[in-house]
Amino acid sequence: MAEEIEWWEYEESEEWCDALAGDIAFIIDSAIDARGGAVIALAGGKTPAPVYAQLAAAKIDWKRVTIVPTDDRIVPLGDPMSNVTGLGKTFIPKGARVIPLVSEKAEDYKAVGRAADARLTDFHWPLDLVLLGMGSDGHTASIFPGPDLDEALNGPKERRALGVMPDPLPPEAPVARVTLSGGAIASAKALMIAISGAEKRKVLEQAIAQGPSSPYPIGRVLADTELPVDIHWLA
């Protein structure tokens, strides 16, 4: 289980954005100072978009920063469901490298996952930071209930990414995914979670309390994490 889980609570979205962007910028700067570059994984979706807009305005040597999505839908680049497309629009103009997990739509989601895993071997590991979101069903990244849940959580330690098929498929994005593995997330040097709303807080508190037996994927991921975790919750 995570050594220490600290909750940071915010009433105002502006305050939430300021704190998250500031903490991410600090981690990036520290990694650049330590070894000349930073490699981070950022959650997709609408919730953290204002955080990323603020982060992109920070005085960071973006040419030394590599960003990967924590997960992505298996859709073509440019598709509205593509997480890397949104990250790219925000950070590529600043000079950052934004690396797709998915380069094209493909039928064999397992093969797409293997290609993503191979691509990630080119970068410094472990990641300097993973920023996770969480769905109200307790999934995180694209670690969903379904046939690939056990592999995502308990696959080989060296595996960094894999293809997954959620079951049931989320109605807002009914496609297969590629996700960072539970092991890749747990090995990161820093782990943060950004959520909002009372419903998600209740789910996350339950998942943490249940630990490794949690039915929620986020609870299982955190149970395998040994580093401190910062949870930034917007009420």
Side-chain angles (χ1 to χ4, degrees):
M1 191 66 186
E3 286 177 11
E4 180 188 333
I5 294 176
E6 188 153 7
W7 287 81
W8 303 86
E9 301 177 3
Y10 309 91
E11 297 292 333
E12 303 291 335
S13 58
E14 191 175 335
E15 186 187 9
W16 182 74
C17 285
D18 280 349
L20 270 164
D23 284 5
I24 296 168
F26 176 79
I27 289 168
I28 291 172
D29 282 338
S30 298
I32 291 171
D33 287 346
R35 55 160 220 285
V39 186
I40 65 171
L42 298 179
K46 293 177 184 155
T47 302
V51 176
Y52 300 157
Q54 189 149 332
L55 177 62
K59 288 185 169 65
I60 289 170
D61 187 354
W62 287 106
K63 289 183 174 57
R64 296 178 180 270
V65 181
T66 299
I67 299 169
V68 297
T70 57
D71 63 299
D72 217 337
R73 290 81 177 249
I74 300 180
V75 293
L77 292 174
D79 187 289
M81 290 193 290
S82 165
N83 286 336
V84 79
T85 297
L87 290 171
K89 284 177 181 172
T90 301
F91 293 106
I92 288 174
K94 297 294 176 178
R97 284 199 300 173
V98 179
I99 308 299
L101 295 177
V102 177
S103 52
E104 60 188 14
K105 182 167 171 46
E107 299 306 317
D108 184 351
Y109 73 92
K110 295 278 195 179
V112 178
R114 287 192 294 273
D117 186 51
R119 191 174 298 137
L120 290 178
T121 62
D122 292 340
F123 303 103
H124 184 273
W125 213 263
L127 294 164
D128 294 297
L129 166 70
V130 174
L131 174 68
L132 294 173
M134 186 196 75
S136 53
D137 60 355
H139 84 268
T140 192
S142 278
I143 302 178
F144 281 90
D148 307 298
L149 176 62
D150 185 66
E151 188 180 3
L153 292 169
N154 302 315
K157 290 294 181 195
E158 64 274 11
R159 178 178 292 154
R160 296 168 184 186
L162 70 158
V164 291
M165 182 67 76
D167 183 17
L169 281 169
E172 73 282 0
V175 294
R177 319 291 175 99
V178 172
T179 186
L180 292 180
S181 68
I185 293 167
S187 74
K189 293 178 183 174
L191 181 58
M192 291 196 277
I193 300 172
I195 59 167
S196 61
E199 180 188 8
K200 286 190 178 182
R201 175 163 186 151
K202 185 178 177 186
V203 168
L204 185 50
E205 286 177 334
Q206 282 182 339
I208 290 167
Q210 291 158 342
S213 62
S214 179
Y216 298 116
I218 186 80
R220 304 273 297 278
V221 169
L222 291 178
D224 286 337
T225 302
E226 294 179 4
L227 73 166
V229 178
D230 286 310
I231 300 170
H232 292 263
W233 175 64
L234 175 61

